[in-house]
Amino acid sequence: MHQQVALVASNAEGGSIHTWDVETCTSIATYKSNSSPRNGFCCLGRDYLLASQTGKGSLHFWSWHKDHVLQRAFTVEPMHTLAATADGAFVAGGGASGAIYVWASGSGQLLRSWPAHYKAVTCLVFTQHSGGLLLSGGEDTVVSTWVLMDVLDASISQQVLQQQPPTPLYSWSEHTLPVTSIHAGAGQANALAVTASLDRSCKIWSLAQGVLLRTLTFPSAIHSIRTDPGDHALYAGSGDGRIFETSLVGEVTSGEGSGEQHEAGYHTMEGHEGAVTCLAMTTDANQLVSGCEDGSVIVWDLRTRQPIRTLQKAGKGSVTGLLVMDRPPFLAAGQGGRGDRSNTSAHGGTSKKGPQRPQPLAPFSKYYGAAGGVKPWEGVPVVIDGCTPYRGVASMSGFASCLGSQSSSPSNMDMPPADTDMCESTPSTNLQAENDKLRKQLQKAQESSQEWQHLHAELHSACVSKLLNRAS
């Protein structure tokens, strides 16, 4: 298994993002100048970290190989929560006013902003892999599901969007207190969505049908949730420091550990002294990592439900963000020369200064309509790193053979120009044949329509004559 690292963010003033080895609990790297709110910390694609700043209308960006802030962006209001698509193409932020903002990271343009909730937005989540759906929860107890394609529809102007906000795909209002956490499982549009609230309940929804499948009630308010990769078990962090585990596919089993089992159908893992604000899971689903309001981070063994490691002094303030992942290739490359160079194909080479072709990242614009980091006549930057095969004009049928016939070999140099004319005429010949085929199909359809009209007229005449004869 690859080396697993945990990134811990806190809301301490002038704090940092700490990176730890999950197995050895040793500190690997530190990213400075961060004080992020709960749910305000996420990964941006493969090369960056992103966090909003508590009480400030600003966003901070870091690259894996530098410990200082790479870029700052300013927003019209403080962002309470952030989320990014898996590929890092889009970033969504939820503000204190209840509005949601969507940026394009490659151009930095603010693509859309609309009033989504009546109160502050507390959590945002994109569906895994595709990011086609955006789930939002707020202090108004409502959970909404937005289709990103509809929200970013270029045919709708921003002015119209402000006057007539987009209609969510689903809008769920079954919670009675503010929503604290949302988790979208695997399966994209067919995934399960789990929502948690201060009303001590977790609700499981079907994104395909938009219906409530199950409601779980716990003895204390829920602040964070996570499911395993197969959506077989749900882990809920509560306000009194306990973590509840319940099965989503059957009855709760006793397991190997001494975790307390209640009649309600869940196990309890105890070890924190404050509210459990963050939960994350290792890629092999054998260990759970939890962050607490008191700044502690504990690693749990899920087979025994016992704490096995504690990250000492993970942060000065409350833990507000927690990510667990395979160690990035360029992590700590500029902070002691210990960058992992084992996986470089996706980055197009290695360097002590980081990837040679990093993912495009432009300064985020503050207002809608601003050009962002690109000129009005420019498009969004694209990295060509060889990870996908290139198909250009030269590889199309007809052109490939023409280019091949004009190679530098002496035998091909003496070819008559008539062959080139034949290659150049091939596309037009194919189009003409396709056009003739479509014309014949149209003519046949018209003839069939005329036959049906004739049959209809005969049938109508026969029916009318029969009715008239009966009446007489």
Side-chain angles (χ1 to χ4, degrees), residues 383-397:
V383 175
I384 301 177
D385 54 9
C387 60
T388 56
Y390 173 72
R391 178 175 175 83
V393 175
S395 61
M396 298 180 182
S397 63

Side-chain angles (χ1 to χ4, degrees), residues 240-324:
D240 59 7
R242 292 182 290 176
I243 300 174
F244 303 107
E245 176 193 353
T246 185
S247 174
L248 299 180
V249 296
E251 297 182 357
V252 178
T253 58
S254 59
E256 302 176 9
S258 59
E260 181 182 359
Q261 182 177 0
H262 293 267
E263 296 180 357
Y266 52 79
H267 289 283
T268 302
M269 296 183 284
E270 299 182 359
H272 288 291
E273 297 180 357
V276 181
T277 56
C278 306
L279 291 174
M281 189 171 292
T282 56
T283 55
D284 59 1
N286 289 328
Q287 297 175 355
L288 180 73
V289 185
S290 60
C292 182
E293 217 170 34
D294 60 7
S296 63
V297 177
I298 296 179
V299 182
W300 305 81
D301 181 78
L302 293 180
R303 290 175 296 179
T304 63
R305 301 185 183 92
Q306 295 297 319
I308 55 177
R309 286 181 290 275
T310 300
L311 305 183
Q312 300 294 335
K313 298 180 181 179
K316 296 180 180 179
S318 171
V319 176
T320 56
L322 180 61
L323 299 174
V324 176

Side-chain angles (χ1 to χ4, degrees), residues 46-47 63 65 330 347-351 353-359:
R46 66 189 186 193
D47 295 326
S63 58
H65 63 288
F330 296 97
H347 291 74
T350 61
S351 171
K353 297 182 179 180
Q356 295 179 0
R357 291 182 290 273
Q359 180 178 346

Side-chain angles (χ1 to χ4, degrees), residues 75-92:
T75 56
V76 295
E77 62 174 323
M79 294 291 108
H80 283 197
T81 177
L82 289 175
T85 55
D87 57 2
F90 300 102
V91 174

